[in-house]
Amino acid sequence: MTQIRVGIAGAGIAGLTTALALSDRGIASTLFERASELSEVGAGLQISPNAGRILEGLGLTTALDRAAVRPEAIDMRSGRTGEPIVTLPLGDAAARAYGAPYRLVHRADLQALLLEAARSDPRITLNLGAEATGVSQSADAASLTVNGTEHSFDCLVASDGVRSTLRDAVPGASPARRGGRTAWRTTIPIGAAPRDLPHERTTVLLNRAAHVVIYPVRGGRLINVIVVIEEDWDGPDWSAPGDADILRRRFDADSTRYVSRFTDIELNWTRWCLTEVDPRGNWVHGRIALIGDAAHAMVPFLAQGAAMAIEDADILASTLAAGGPVAEALQSFEALRRPRVTRVWRTARQAGQIYHLGGPMAVARDLTMTGLGGQRLLERYDWIYGWQPEHGASG
Ligand SMILES: Cc1cc2nc3c(=O)[nH]c(=O)nc-3n(C[C@H](O)[C@H](O)[C@H](O)COP(=O)(O)OP(=O)(O)OC[C@H]3O[C@@H](n4cnc5c(N)ncnc54)[C@H](O)[C@@H]3O)c2cc1C
């Protein structure tokens, strides 16, 4: 059993999964979370098989299945007419091929089930209302200052999200950059959603300079809607209540007729400024590692941000459990993760460009997708969904 002491700052998806993955390998950890209670932050999350398999490996299959909807498919449609472009099949065959189903969850439900598992785990100490404000390290230890008290560990994991302040403790870490796009998120009670909307699958509507992603969460009782538009919104915060009239004006033209069925419903929208952290910056310094969005926040067009955080947690736990000096284990974590995360990060950016094409380019895109067909389109993502930890990295 490896007897190292690990401190984790931030109990989001990355931090909680890291604590559970460490415990799975016999390593105890202490989590510090700024929020005094973990509430309904965020909206839907698509949890693809590469991440689902890791969560299942941590004994969370039943809890996940209770919280999640398993979509039959992803439908890509025209945002003007609603006409189908292509359907990517995600049913049982895909679950068998990738070793886990594709799942749709509410972020709060995923965080709650991770939290419950962490709370009932004697190797995990959870501190809420515990804001980490400073980090320091010596040759022998790394220290985290929380509410004015210093806590010393062998290894410190900074999983404090895209707005990470602990990132400053890693020289050469990439800064967070806002990218000229906003994501508008809301949920619609199932009874208020347009009746002809397929409720058991993910629907993606493609428009010039915009797209919309719609899928069920909470056992199908709510429909999660994300509208991404290109706009230079520079609010004081990175998320805020969104004025629905801005969306309505954007989608009132004939070219966006189908989308307007969602923006016309009276709903509470939250507006997020999409923000990236370039994964080519440093993630590790001595005994300190950045993981998840703190290290490499990406645009959500492949639905892989939380998935990459979950993969990080698995690999970090494995490299630490392998023994040896902590600093070397963190270096090998970074070396193992960077190529894959960088490829996913870039591919997510490209997906955004493709989704937002207009005019003849959009027509060409739709014809190509239709011609390729859903199965072959899905196979293009085999490297994401079918990923296995590299030999020697799994615990
Ligand atoms: C519109 C949109 C849609 C998305 N859809 C998907 C999707 O379908 N699938 C997917 O995989 N990903 C998706 N993502 C990305 C996903 O939400 C993030 O990648 C993921 O939540 C990152 O997890 P994290 O744990 O790194 O950070 P976070 O979830 O942000 O957690 C950070 C935690 O740290 C805490 N914290 C912050 N500072 C401190 C401090 N100083 N001390 C202590 N605690 C602190 C915070 O309170 C928080 O609990 C989407 C993102 C957006 C914007």
Side-chain angles (χ1 to χ4, degrees):
M1 221 47 33
T2 314
Q3 297 301 332
I4 58 168
R5 299 159 306 142
V6 180
I8 304 172
I13 310 300
L16 284 166
T17 311
T18 300
L20 293 168
L22 285 169
S23 172
D24 194 48
R25 281 126 174 128
I27 302 176
S29 64
T30 307
L31 265 165
F32 300 94
E33 166 58 45
R34 178 176 58 187
S36 47
E37 70 184 285
L38 296 178
S39 55
E40 308 260 321
V41 184
L45 281 181
Q46 307 190 62
I47 297 297
S48 52
N50 46 315
R53 272 200 318 270
I54 293 169
L55 298 176
E56 289 184 3
L58 294 172
L60 298 170
T61 311
T62 307
L64 266 177
D65 284 340
R66 243 193 332 256
V69 174
R70 291 186 183 194
E72 286 170 8
I74 300 176
D75 275 344
M76 311 286 278
R77 291 171 178 264
S78 153
R80 186 170 69 83
T81 62
E83 282 299 308
I85 300 168
V86 70
T87 295
L88 284 67
L90 290 180
D92 292 343
R96 273 196 302 279
Y98 297 131
Y102 200 95
R103 293 182 172 97
L104 309 172
V105 293
H106 197 288
R107 183 183 179 277
D109 292 342
L110 178 60
Q111 199 174 18
L113 73 88
L114 293 172
L115 190 65
E116 197 183 316
R119 278 202 165 116
S120 57
D121 188 325
R123 289 200 188 94
I124 300 173
T125 308
L126 178 68
N127 300 286
L128 297 180
E131 179 164 9
T133 48
V135 175
S136 61
Q137 63 177 316
S138 63
D140 305 321
S143 300
L144 195 63
T145 306
V146 179
N147 297 341
T149 305
E150 219 174 76
H151 300 261
S152 182
F153 298 99
D154 297 306
C155 173
L156 264 185
V157 179
S159 47
D160 54 340
V162 65
R163 301 175 69 183
S164 170
T165 50
L166 302 183
R167 196 186 279 135
D168 292 346
V170 176
S174 298
R177 287 197 197 287
R178 304 177 187 206
R181 289 189 184 123
T182 54
W184 295 62
R185 301 171 101 174
T186 193
T187 49
I188 312 179
I190 192 82
R195 279 175 188 270
D196 58 340
L197 179 76
H199 290 157
E200 67 297 337
R201 53 184 59 206
T202 297
T203 302
V204 183
L205 305 173
L206 303 182
N207 267 109
R208 180 199 293 270
H211 75 280
V212 182
V213 184
I214 305 156
Y215 55 85
V217 289
R218 297 244 145 119
R221 294 188 303 284
L222 284 179
I223 300 290
N224 181 68
V225 183
I226 303 166
V227 180
V228 176
I229 59 175
E230 295 181 7
E231 61 168 350
D232 272 322
W233 175 61
D234 206 10
D237 209 344
W238 295 14
S239 73
D243 174 358
D245 282 340
I246 295 174
L247 278 190
R248 286 191 193 110
R249 281 197 294 278
R250 183 67 71 119
F251 292 108
D252 68 356
D254 182 53
S255 62
T256 53
R257 207 172 343 118
Y258 191 81
V259 170
S260 65
R261 291 151 21 110
F262 301 95
T263 53
D264 283 348
I265 303 171
E266 215 43 62
L267 295 164
N268 294 324
W269 291 90
T270 306
R271 190 193 209 181
W272 298 62
C273 180
L274 292 186
T275 304
E276 295 174 295
V277 175
D278 192 317
R280 290 163 296 185
N282 291 338
W283 305 355
V284 163
H285 177 54
R287 294 172 175 273
I288 303 166
L290 303 172
I291 67 164
D293 275 10
H296 47 64
M298 59 187 66
V299 285
F301 310 137
L302 284 181
Q304 285 298 311
M308 289 303 108
I310 290 166
E311 289 185 9
D312 280 356
D314 182 56
I315 298 297
L316 180 62
S318 297
T319 51
L320 286 171
V326 166
E328 283 176 25
L330 297 189
Q331 289 293 343
S332 79
F333 156 74
E334 189 184 49
L336 282 166
R337 290 298 292 150
R338 195 194 305 281
R340 172 164 170 84
V341 170
T342 305
R343 188 174 173 202
V344 172
W345 191 88
R346 286 201 180 116
T347 311
R349 278 190 145 194
Q350 285 159 6
Q353 283 156 4
I354 294 166
Y355 285 2
H356 287 199
L357 290 172
M361 298 288 280
V363 175
R365 172 202 61 206
D366 295 354
L367 285 172
T368 307
M369 281 184 172
T370 308
L372 204 58
Q375 184 59 42
R376 280 173 62 202
L377 206 53
L378 182 67
E379 284 164 12
R380 290 186 154 197
Y381 296 116
D382 280 357
W383 65 275
I384 297 182
Y385 302 151
W387 171 85
Q388 297 288 347
E390 276 181 47
H391 186 67
S394 60

